[in-house]
Amino acid sequence: MSFTVNITREAGCWDDEVAGRPLLQFQPHIVHAVIDADPTLAFEPDKKDPRYGVVIYVGNPVREEYENGESAIWFEPWGFTAQRPSDTLMEKMLELSIKLNAYMIDDHDQTYFLNKEGKLDAYFELRDDLFIIGDKGTHYEVHNSGELKNLNLIPDYMSENFTSFSEAVRKKFLKTEPLPAGQVRLYGPVSSPCSEFVKFYEKNNRQLVVVYYEAFLGLISGWNFANQDNPEKLIPIPEENDSTTNEDIVFLYGYCRSFPRNKFVLACCALMSMRSGKTLKTPKFI
């Protein structure tokens, strides 16, 4: 039996800087709606912040556990936690996590799920097929570091889950003050110096090199979306084959090695110009 079991929107204990995106948190009003719809659950609000508090499994079929106060699940801004939960309480927690598009993980990094027999089961390490579930049910595949595998989905991810980012994180990632005319704020790999890409390439870190290349593809998608009413400005998406990908990566490496202090986005713009056969008038990136 685990000492602590948590329910969290994320599949791992990640850092938003490493993940390159704001991490998901629970929306209190969604949590309360799920609790209110379940007659086996009750909520005791915290006096300082009534949005959070304690969820009580009042319908626990093991009445001794309920009477001994062993049916409590603490709800805090980052998620839910229970101390030394019984198997009965863990089954209810798993049910709750499924309704909230969340994960149930213990302090030994075991992740719980329902097996084919509908029984509580667990796997013991972060897997390659991890994903997180957005507010509208979209599945976003992620690396073991928490990064989205498809960086082209970052705009959709930001839009779908805006209210599930903490206020502090929204201020950090989604600044609302207007930018000076012609300026574009960057996030993620494209905002890194070219020297970072050179380092990963020369260390033969294929996984991170591909992450940067996917950021390049995402930039093309963003460019084409912004210029959808100007067909002459559209840039063809590179063919999906190893030959084209390797050619592009070598080009990016050559640029980044020559201009290590430039932002990686400028290497992407140079490659976009080369692929399109036209000189692009790029905005000022900050």
Side-chain angles (χ1 to χ4, degrees), residues 250-278:
V250 170
F251 181 97
L252 292 169
Y253 171 67
Y255 179 99
C256 289
R257 190 174 181 184
S258 299
F259 305 100
R261 295 185 179 181
N262 282 2
K263 289 183 181 294
F264 182 70
V265 67
L266 296 180
C268 296
C269 289
L271 179 53
M272 289 162 63
S273 295
M274 187 272 287
R275 282 295 181 198
S276 64
K278 62 187 79 171

Side-chain angles (χ1 to χ4, degrees), residues 51-67:
R51 295 176 302 170
Y52 305 99
V54 182
V55 180
I56 306 296
Y57 184 20
V58 294
N60 191 332
V62 183
R63 300 315 295 169
E64 183 177 312
E65 292 181 8
Y66 172 70
E67 292 167 1

Side-chain angles (χ1 to χ4, degrees), residues 204-220:
N204 199 28
N205 189 330
R206 185 70 179 180
Q207 181 178 5
L208 288 178
V209 167
V210 170
V211 166
Y212 274 71
Y213 184 66
E214 289 177 344
F216 158 68
L217 297 178
L219 191 67
I220 293 180

